[in-house]
């Protein structure tokens, strides 16, 4: 396997899946006037997320991750990217490497994501040796803009214990941990392959797991994946952990979005390589 597996395959969006994340109050403040009609309009690209004034930040992040893999309305992402790029143009590049765990490469900021080099220009443009997947690019630019700095402490926490994650953990489990567990159950070599593809690190028996590995989707946001194999009378299980400092760099909603994007990418890798 190699980095070319990062190429995305967009599938049609499903209005009912989108509807599940909307407020479902039918308040009538968007042009279609009902949440179900709004879901259909989003899928067709006729409305934008900002057209619903009642979407929580968490829902916006979740839907942005969803549309990344389901024919996203391009203008929505482009608006967000333009906004973030304009923000990058205003930051102090000389102070950024220390804050972000990055380095200066000529006039650009060099940031390692999943073991690959991404060069960010002063205009917010990104150059990389691999496909610049929007599911990674938007969190990357948000990291560059909003990270408060600081290094990981090695204190691993489950998602539910991150700052402001209360009440969101069930959805994280549904969107990230369960799909990844199903994937590893059927593609037993996947975790080992992920270490090779994304320059991950194998950890030894963390939390008494059978396999555990650390990936670095962003330099100061390591992600620990622990997998417990099936035993007689016991189902397999998989949990994802974050350093206690993760929310110093990205909001919990975007950490969720980043992980959902990673899992979607791992699914494509597993599908492509059997
Ligand atoms: S504005 Fe939002 S909450 Fe109100 S009907 Fe439209 S989608 Fe539903």
């Amino acid at each position: 396997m190699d980095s070319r597996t990062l190429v995305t395959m967009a599938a049609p969006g499903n209005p009912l899946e989108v509807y599940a994340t909307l407020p479902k109050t039918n308040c009538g403040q968007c042009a279609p006037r009902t949440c179900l009609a709004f879901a259909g309009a989003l899928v067709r690209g006729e409305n934008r997320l900002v057209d619903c004034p009642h979407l929580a930040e968490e829902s916006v992040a979740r839907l942005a991750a969803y549309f990344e893999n389901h024919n996203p309305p391009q203008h929505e992402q482009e608006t967000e990217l333009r906004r973030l790029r304009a923000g990058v143009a205003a930051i102090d590049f000389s102070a950024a490497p220390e804050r972000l765990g990055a380095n200066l490469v000529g006039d650009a900021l060099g940031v390692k994501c999943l073991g690959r080099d991404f060069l960010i220009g002063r205009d917010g443009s990104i150059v990389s040796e691999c496909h610049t997947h929007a599911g990674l690019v938007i969190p990357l630019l948000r990291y560059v803009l909003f990270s408060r700095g600081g290094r990981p402490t090695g204190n691993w926490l489950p998602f539910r214990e991150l700052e402001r994650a209360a009440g969101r953990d069930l959805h994280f489990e549904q969107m990230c941990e369960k799909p990844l567990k199903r994937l590893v159950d059927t593609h037993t070599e996947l975790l080992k392959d992920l270490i090779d593809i994304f320059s991950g690190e194998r950890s030894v028996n963390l939390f008494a797991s059978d396999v555990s590995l650390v990936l670095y989707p962003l330099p100061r946001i390591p992600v620990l994946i622990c997998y417990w194999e099936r035993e007689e009378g016991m189902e397999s299980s998989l949990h994802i952990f974050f350093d206690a400092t993760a929310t110093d760099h990205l909001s919990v909603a975007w950490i969720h979005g980043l992980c959902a994007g990673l899992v979607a990418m791992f699914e494509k890798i597993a599908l492509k390589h059997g």
Side-chain angles (χ1 to χ4, degrees), residues 220-264:
R220 298 269 168 88
I221 308 188
V223 173
L224 169 66
I225 301 171
C226 291
Y227 180 71
W228 292 262
E229 290 166 2
R230 185 178 179 178
E231 286 179 23
E232 203 173 322
M234 280 182 68
E235 263 296 308
S236 62
S237 61
L238 182 147
H239 291 289
I240 301 174
F241 299 86
F242 301 89
D243 192 86
T245 59
T247 49
D248 291 345
H249 305 288
L250 270 187
S251 72
V252 78
W254 280 102
I255 290 172
H256 184 170
L258 178 67
C259 271
L262 286 180
V263 172

